[in-house]
Structures are given as structure tokens and as C-alpha cells.
Amino acid sequence: MHGLDAPSVQAENGECEVVMPTLDPAPFLHGNPFPGTAELPYPRAVATDSARLPAGTWQAASTPIGVRLELHGDADAVVVHYRTERDGKSAHGPDAGRAFEVWEGDSRLVVEPAALGEGRIELPLPAGAQGVTVYLPERMRPTLLSLTPVGGSLVPGTRRPRWLAYGDSIVEGWVAGSPGSCWTARLSRRLGLDVCNLGYAGSARGELPSAEHLASVPADLISLSYGTNCWSTIPHTATLLRAGLDAFLTLLRQGNPATPVVITTPIRRPDAEMTPNRLGATLADLRAAMAAQVQVRIDDGDPALVLVDGETLHDDDLLADGIHPGDEGHALMADRLEPVIRAACPPRGGEQA
């Protein structure tokens, strides 16, 4: 059982010694909607369907971006027993995702680097430990083995409305300095949502297996934010993007027929706005095509679709590398999307069990 008072045992000197319970991490984990395997405990796609996904999508989905612990209780600290599979160093962006981080609201309270291999780490918790989020060293592909509360008890955070956030590297969080500072993480804490980060860096072009995966998970809110990789990595025409989006939404609606879906067209990318890709489409062309197709579906009777113009979501000078927002850019995106996501959110009575 979780959250029980610590039992006492008689020590050899006759004094009572408090022995803290060891807890199974699974009930405390959020952001992992798909079943895991022994090799990959927290996949961000359906593991049995990996052969149908582009290699880049599956590679990104194998990293547990946004998987986290949600803790309530009166413990002074929590000891996390874990194992990591790789060092997590990357040539892209800052050296993020290689530490345990304790967040309360929009405040990052603790950052403790993780070790490669098996380790234990004690993370201090704020008084009361209500609504505390612990982000994992996600780039190191961790497995949590056990949790031990120190100086009190812990219970899993309340299951909240589930938000499936599908998209590319900007959803995944490049190049934010911390897992907790990307725009999806900021909004999930702010609005009390259980975000499942299904952002796939270098991929996410509206692949149909991903639509089927979204359809397979009951959701209270879904967001789709892609398109820039349709200009670059695998070039699309405007016609191809429209047809792909239409098919994607058709499959998604087979599993979540009435769930609000917020669709953001690509954010600005200065080098691509007026530059034709290899098939002659500019990013501006693709953005317009995406918006037109969403409007067609709304007009045809899907009022639960919400269209957001990606050009309005950030300022060009906040792009850290000309493509991805830095921390300030992610914060601005969260601020500008907050009223849209808040309006689309279900009442709190719609929490997941």
C-alpha cells in the first residue's frame, strides 16, 4: 500500500528504529500511456507496432520524454532507486535531460545529476509535497526501481485529465534547458493536466500509425503540432499535407470521436517561410494548407477541432537556433497557448481513473 506511516522495528539496543517503506514507482508515474516492455519500460508509442513507424519516430519514442513522478504527502525527501542505459549526451541543444529535477508549479527547486548505470539519489521535497513533479533523466533512458519516502509518507498524485500532445521536436522540448521548461510541461502543471509528450524530434509528419496510436488511448484533450518536417526531412506538397492530415484525423476520430483536438500550424521558421522545398512548397504554403484542411473538417461537422495559427505563438528573436524556441520561447508559447488549451480542457470531473 502507498502512503502508510512508516513501521517501527526493535533495534538490538532496545530502541525503536523507523524503517521507511519501499514503494513501487508505477502508481506515481505519469506521462506514459503505452504498455512498456522489459527493454523499454516507458515507450512513447505502441511498442508492438514499432515496425510500422519510421525509424526516426521509433528512435525518438524510445526516449521517455515527459515521463515523470507526481508526488503528494508530508515526506521531507524521496530516495529514488534507478538504472540508466546511456549517458544521454547529445550534440543538439543544452545538456538537459540528464538529471532528476523537482518542480513545484513553475519553480524548479532541485536539480541532481544522474549516474550512468544503477544508482540511488535522495531528492529533498518542499514542505507538504503537494503537487510536486519529479522529472527523470529522460535522455539517459532510466528505469525506476523503487521509491523510499524520508521523514514522512508519500502517495501518488491524483490522476488528472489526459492530454496527448503529438508533434515534432518543438513539442518534444528542443532546445529547452530542462524537461520541465518546455511549453507542454509548463501548461500541464499550470492547468492540472496529465500531459503525454508524443513529440518526435526529426519526425512527426502526420504518419498514420501515430494517428492509430492516438486513437487507442482514451484522452480528454489532444493537440497536433507538426509541419516543419514536412518542409524539410521528407518534403511534402500542400496537396500531400492536406490529404495526410485528413486521413490522420479520420483515424484519430475512430478512437476519440468527440475529444477536443487543438491543431497548431507550424511556428515560424525564417529560413523556410518563402523558400520552396524540393517539391516546390514553402513553409507558408504548408501552413495555409493545414489551416484550410482543418477548416474544411470544422465546416463538415467536427466542432471539437480548434485551429491555432502557429505564426502567432512565438517571436523570431526567441528561436535559439533559427528553428527551435529556447527557454524564453517555450515560456512565451505556453503563455500564448494557455487560453486556448484552458478553453478546450474538459471540466475537472473528467479526470482519468
Side-chain angles (χ1 to χ4, degrees), residues 12-247:
E12 290 184 2
N13 61 6
E15 297 181 358
C16 285
E17 179 180 344
V18 175
V19 179
M20 303 307 298
T22 297
L23 306 177
D24 177 7
F28 295 82
L29 282 165
H30 289 239
N32 53 324
F34 302 112
T37 67
E39 296 78 21
L40 203 62
Y42 319 124
R44 295 189 300 122
V46 176
T48 55
D49 210 17
S50 60
R52 297 178 62 226
L53 291 168
T57 300
W58 179 243
Q59 181 180 11
S62 299
T63 301
I65 302 298
V67 178
R68 63 206 179 275
L69 295 167
E70 300 284 357
L71 308 175
H72 283 212
D74 60 3
D76 298 323
V78 60
V79 175
V80 182
H81 181 200
Y82 66 93
R83 181 177 62 250
T84 59
E85 303 298 334
R86 61 183 188 179
D87 65 18
K89 293 180 180 178
S90 172
H92 305 285
D95 190 21
R98 301 179 66 237
F100 289 91
E101 300 185 1
V102 178
W103 285 70
E104 187 175 36
D106 267 349
S107 298
R108 185 171 62 170
L109 307 178
V110 177
V111 180
E112 290 289 346
L116 180 59
E118 191 165 331
R120 292 177 185 268
I121 194 164
E122 182 170 325
L123 303 172
L125 301 174
Q130 298 299 313
V132 172
T133 301
V134 178
Y135 291 96
L136 310 184
E138 53 194 29
R139 300 288 176 186
M140 301 178 77
R141 291 195 184 170
T143 299
L144 300 190
L145 304 176
S146 68
L147 306 176
T148 304
V150 177
S153 60
L154 291 172
V155 296
T158 304
R159 287 290 172 185
R160 301 180 304 233
R162 180 183 286 138
W163 170 21
L164 303 180
Y166 172 81
D168 50 33
S169 55
I170 297 158
V171 172
E172 187 175 287
W174 287 29
V175 288
S178 160
S181 60
C182 72
W183 69 268
T184 54
R186 290 175 184 272
L187 282 181
S188 69
R189 294 191 306 271
R190 204 176 292 175
L191 300 179
L193 299 174
D194 181 12
V195 66
C196 303
N197 189 315
L198 307 182
Y200 307 129
S203 188
R205 295 166 293 268
E207 285 82 6
L208 299 187
S210 291
E212 293 175 326
H213 296 175
L214 292 172
S216 73
V217 178
D220 300 287
L221 176 70
I222 296 171
S223 62
L224 308 180
S225 309
Y226 69 93
T228 191
N229 292 326
C230 297
W231 177 81
S232 57
T233 56
I234 296 183
H236 286 50
T237 64
T239 301
L240 178 59
L241 186 144
R242 284 192 67 162
L245 176 59
D246 189 48

Side-chain angles (χ1 to χ4, degrees), residues 282-350:
T282 67
L283 188 59
D285 294 334
L286 299 180
R287 185 182 298 113
M290 195 170 189
Q293 187 58 44
V294 174
Q295 191 59 53
V296 166
R297 297 211 43 133
I298 294 171
D299 294 342
D300 284 348
D302 192 344
L305 298 182
V306 179
L307 176 63
V308 178
D309 181 0
E311 284 197 286
T312 68
L313 295 180
H314 79 98
D315 298 336
D316 288 358
D317 60 351
L318 296 182
L319 294 174
D321 57 3
I323 301 173
H324 305 95
D327 280 338
E328 288 185 58
H330 278 280
L332 183 62
M333 286 185 67
D335 290 343
R336 290 181 176 177
L337 277 166
E338 180 176 356
V340 178
I341 299 295
R342 187 184 296 277
C345 284
R348 288 303 299 267

